[in-house]
């Protein structure tokens, strides 16, 4: 078999079998999610093409085929997409109108742009899921600065408010917490320069949890076990399995994940982030792609979220989502002032290192480590691994 091309242009790619070639999957975006999808695909020979923005994008080093170009430029995307059997995404910050045009022209886009809209707009997500009876924080949408609306909302649910940009935010960027009326006005003015915002009540969080589900084209859906997520400055730093919540709250959360997943109806993997509060389980947000809260599934579950995402979008049978171990902890490696030591991390027993191959930058997610085991001590080793690699976050943030 001819080795796959390493040039930018899409070329003939190897087929698993001549009888039933699996579809060629195009991934929009070359970030670490595309990289981990490619790592999975290489194990079982699925043909991929990544549309990367830059040659130093995380996935470029690991995929056999990539195209270089702006994922929102029709002149780049259209010919690339037409050579893929299905197009999926590394991130949701894309021009939905462009991908909807491709869908209308017969390109298979998974998840669909209708599902992607939930993840790409916090306003749409709050309004649509709230209207469908999903419990969301009390909120108000602002498209222009309006002092009376802010004052009225502040009087109703203040003094602490959370302001969120409608689009473009991730890892806590585009989210501002305020504790005074003046700060709320200032933050609203600033965020509104970039588009609409959601103002919401600041909830007292007892825990943050997440559910990852995978859905096939036929509607078949499987749910990974729920996990605890720990954030620092709005960014996820740690994910823990199993969930240690009372049975009633666990069941409430699982029902909410199922309800949200069936409304969003995203083919592939999606994540549902939830807040546990005194008022019950409340939706935070959804992502219509593999998610940081699912990285633990690479070593922790029978089928990783990356493999299952590719299986789902390619129309292949979904894999088992059961956990393989009693305890699994994943800790992100977030850039500090200088890199740590791979040698020191690998010297720690059971530490699985995932390096995304990105240039070192303070505050940037550069990789993660996972430790599996039979008791909760895996958490200590996972943090030791991330610290050896130089993470800037501390385990005291829990
Ligand atoms: P992003 O889209 O950037 O991931 P999120 O909306 O998930 O941002 O918010 C990031 C973090 O901020 C959450 O994980 C949570 O810790 C905190 N947060 C967000 N909204 C609220 C809220 N309404 N009340 C309390 N904390 C919140």
């Amino acid at each position: 078999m001819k080795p796959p091309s390493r040039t930018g242009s899409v070329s003939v790619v190897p087929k698993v079998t001549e009888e039933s070639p699996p579809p060629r999957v195009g991934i929009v975006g070359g970030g670490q999610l595309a990289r981990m999808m490619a790592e999975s695909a290489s194990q079982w020979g699925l043909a991929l093409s990544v549309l990367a923005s830059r040659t130093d994008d995380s996935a470029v080093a690991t995929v056999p085929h990539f195209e270089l170009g702006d994922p929102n430029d029709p002149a780049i995307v259209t010919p690339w997409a037409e050579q893929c059997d299905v197009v999926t995404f590394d991130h949701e910050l894309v021009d939905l109108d462009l991908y909807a045009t491709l869908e209308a022209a017969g390109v298979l886009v998974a998840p669909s742009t209708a599902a992607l809209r939930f993840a790409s707009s916090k306003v749409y997500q709050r309004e649509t899921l709230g209207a469908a009876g999903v419990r969301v924080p009390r909120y108000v949408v602002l498209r222009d600065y309006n002092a009376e609306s802010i004052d009225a909302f502040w009087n109703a649910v203040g003094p602490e408010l959370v302001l969120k940009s409608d689009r473009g935010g991730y890892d806590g960027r585009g989210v501002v917490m305020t504790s005074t009326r003046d700060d709320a006005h200032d933050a609203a003015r600033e965020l509104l320069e970039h588009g609409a915002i959601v103002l919401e009540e600041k909830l007292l969080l007892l825990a943050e949890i997440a559910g990852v589900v995978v859905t096939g084209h036929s509607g078949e859906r499987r749910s990974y076990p729920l996990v605890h997520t720990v954030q620092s400055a709005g960014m996820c730093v740690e994910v823990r399995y199993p969930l240690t919540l009372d049975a009633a709250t666990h069941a409430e959360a699982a029902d909410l994940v199922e309800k949200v997943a069936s409304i969003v109806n995203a083919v592939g993997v999606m994540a549902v982030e939830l807040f546990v509060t005194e008022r019950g389980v409340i939706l935070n947000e959804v992502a219509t792609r593999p998610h940081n809260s699912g990285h633990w599934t690479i070593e922790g579950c029978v089928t990783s979220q990356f493999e299952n995402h590719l299986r789902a979008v390619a129309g292949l049978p979904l894999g088992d989502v059961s956990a393989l171990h009693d305890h699994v902890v994943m800790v992100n490696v977030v850039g500090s002032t200088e890199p740590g030591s791979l040698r020191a991390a690998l010297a720690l027993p059971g530490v699985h290192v995932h390096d995304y191959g990105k240039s070192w930058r303070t505050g940037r997610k550069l990789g993660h480590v996972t430790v599996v085991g039979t008791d909760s001590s895996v958490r200590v080793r996972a943090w030791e691994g991330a610290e050896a690699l130089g993470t800037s976050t501390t385990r005291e943030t829990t």
Side-chain angles (χ1 to χ4, degrees), residues 182-355:
D182 286 351
D183 284 353
H185 282 271
D186 290 347
R189 275 195 212 91
E190 202 176 313
L191 290 178
L192 279 162
E193 283 176 19
H194 311 286
I197 62 171
V198 178
L199 252 72
E200 61 188 39
E201 61 179 320
K202 184 166 181 203
L203 296 160
L204 181 62
L205 307 183
L206 304 178
E208 291 192 61
I209 62 179
V212 168
V213 301
V214 58
T215 306
H217 288 281
S218 67
E220 183 195 356
R221 179 169 300 127
R222 297 185 181 188
S223 299
Y224 284 92
L226 299 177
V227 288
H228 280 286
T229 64
V230 180
Q231 339 291 320
S232 170
M235 183 192 280
C236 174
V237 293
E238 176 187 344
V239 174
R240 284 202 298 269
Y241 167 82
L243 195 60
T244 49
L245 278 182
D246 64 273
T249 309
H250 197 142
E252 187 186 340
D255 285 351
L256 191 52
V257 169
E258 182 57 39
K259 178 169 184 169
V260 171
S262 64
I263 297 168
V264 175
N265 200 21
V267 170
V269 159
M270 69 172 281
V272 183
E273 296 179 66
L274 303 173
F275 294 141
V276 180
T277 74
E278 296 284 7
R279 300 197 332 246
V281 182
I282 297 178
L283 176 73
N284 176 21
E285 65 170 350
V286 303
T288 50
R289 51 169 167 73
H291 189 254
N292 202 166
S293 61
H295 292 359
W296 71 282
T297 62
I298 297 174
E299 289 86 9
C301 292
V302 177
T303 315
S304 80
Q305 65 163 350
F306 299 102
E307 177 171 340
N308 253 338
H309 183 74
L310 293 173
R311 288 184 183 222
V313 301
L316 298 167
L318 302 185
D320 187 345
V321 292
S322 311
L324 288 166
H325 307 275
D326 294 339
H327 291 263
V328 186
V329 172
M330 186 247 34
V331 176
N332 282 332
V333 178
V334 181
S336 59
T337 46
E338 57 186 53
S341 162
L342 176 64
R343 189 177 291 271
L346 294 179
L348 295 164
V351 168
H352 297 275
V353 175
H354 296 261
D355 185 329

Side-chain angles (χ1 to χ4, degrees), residues 46-77:
L46 185 74
L48 289 185
S49 176
V50 164
L51 178 58
S53 304
R54 300 157 51 111
T55 49
D56 64 353
D57 278 356
S58 180
V60 165
T62 60
V63 288
H65 301 270
F66 69 95
E67 182 95 5
L68 208 54
D70 178 353
N72 293 327
D73 179 350
I76 300 279
V77 175

